Amino acid sequence: MKFLLEKVNPPSTLEVKYNEVKRLELDGLEQAEAINEEQLRQIMKLYGEDVWNYIYFLTKNSDQTDELTQEVFIKCYYRISTYRGASSLKTWLFTIARNTVFSYRKSRFFRSGLWGEMQPLPTEDEGRQGSAGQAAVTRSAEMEYLGDRQVHEIWRLIMSLPDKLREVLVLDLKAELSVREIAELIRISPGTVKSRLYRARHKIQDKLRGME
């Protein structure tokens, strides 16, 4: 069975309230043995953009991200009985996403050199017309702290970080996961998460200072 991801636009106030209601409706999934297609659509609407962004920052390739995001939600549909509420549904989906990316990297396509070239992060003006919704980067308090620069340029620098530092910074800034959630997701200690976040931020700050 194939499911198509729906476009996710930046939420309005009404959509935020709608999402809160839908999250309440999805409560109890930790006891579910199966979900229907309507529930899957709700999950995709709530978390599709987050999952797409996370996979993009791991792969740096939008075409692969579309494919792997699709796979994540298919796995969600068939494996919902394995979700038992030990983490948030969002973190559980991120775990599936991370494992899916790593499995893909080990596949014959990756070994044969078909991993693909790095693609630039879409800008806000260009938007993103893919199936998982927009990947436009929004400002945050952290971005303001890093300096009065184009957000796209800052994310370009983040994309150049080593994998381990880039991943924790993206999960912190973009996915807004807590230190504990990040630690559980990538299976390292909270202290290591904090250390990597510290190093990642300082590397970005140093790069920004070097550009002045």
Side-chain angles (χ1 to χ4, degrees):
M1 183 179 296
K2 184 177 180 182
F3 301 100
L4 297 178
L5 300 180
E6 299 174 354
K7 184 175 180 180
V8 180
N9 295 311
S12 65
T13 302
L14 288 177
E15 286 174 326
V16 169
K17 292 181 179 178
Y18 169 86
N19 288 345
E20 290 174 353
V21 171
K22 291 303 178 185
R23 285 191 179 92
L24 290 175
E25 290 180 2
L26 291 172
D27 282 350
L29 284 183
E30 66 275 8
Q31 299 171 345
E33 292 300 322
I35 56 174
N36 56 41
E37 293 189 25
E38 175 57 31
Q39 288 174 305
L40 179 64
R41 280 192 287 270
Q42 290 176 14
I43 293 171
M44 289 160 58
K45 184 175 179 65
L46 288 170
Y47 302 113
E49 184 178 4
D50 289 332
V51 170
W52 193 96
N53 284 329
Y54 179 47
I55 293 176
Y56 179 84
F57 282 111
L58 292 178
T59 65
K60 303 179 183 179
N61 185 293
S62 59
D63 289 337
Q64 288 162 8
T65 297
D66 286 342
E67 177 186 342
L68 296 176
T69 300
Q70 189 92 329
E71 186 173 342
V72 167
F73 286 103
I74 291 172
K75 288 178 177 178
C76 169
Y77 181 81
Y78 287 108
R79 299 181 185 177
I80 194 64
S81 61
T82 66
Y83 174 63
R84 285 295 174 256
S87 63
S88 67
L89 183 60
K90 181 178 180 178
T91 301
W92 182 72
L93 289 169
F94 275 24
T95 300
I96 295 175
R98 193 171 193 264
N99 291 339
T100 300
V101 170
F102 288 175
S103 294
Y104 184 85
R105 286 179 175 177
K106 294 176 182 177
S107 71
R108 64 184 177 87
F109 299 103
F110 179 73
R111 293 198 303 272
S112 63
L114 298 179
W115 183 237
E117 298 295 328
M118 176 178 174
Q119 299 182 15
L121 188 68
T123 64
E124 286 186 330
D125 290 336
E126 293 170 345
R128 185 185 165 276
Q129 300 303 318
S131 58
Q134 284 196 305
V137 180
T138 58
R139 285 191 177 272
S140 66
E142 184 75 17
M143 292 294 100
E144 295 292 345
Y145 172 74
L146 288 173
D148 186 19
R149 294 178 179 275
Q150 292 295 323
V151 174
H152 178 68
E153 177 63 20
I154 294 173
W155 280 111
R156 187 187 67 78
L157 294 176
I158 290 175
M159 293 296 285
S160 71
L161 289 172
D163 290 351
K164 291 181 179 179
L165 300 186
R166 183 178 72 243
E167 183 175 16
V168 295
L169 194 57
V170 167
L171 290 172
D172 176 58
L173 292 179
K174 191 68 177 173
E176 299 182 347
L177 297 188
S178 67
V179 168
R180 180 184 61 79
E181 288 174 323
I182 296 172
E184 291 176 355
L185 173 61
I186 62 179
R187 299 179 182 178
I188 59 177
S189 69
T192 301
V193 172
K194 292 178 182 178
S195 174
R196 290 183 185 179
L197 284 172
Y198 176 84
R199 288 160 54 202
R201 290 189 178 104
H202 275 265
K203 280 183 177 292
I204 296 298
Q205 290 165 14
D206 288 344
K207 288 177 183 290
L208 290 174
R209 281 193 286 267
M211 294 169 61
E212 293 176 348

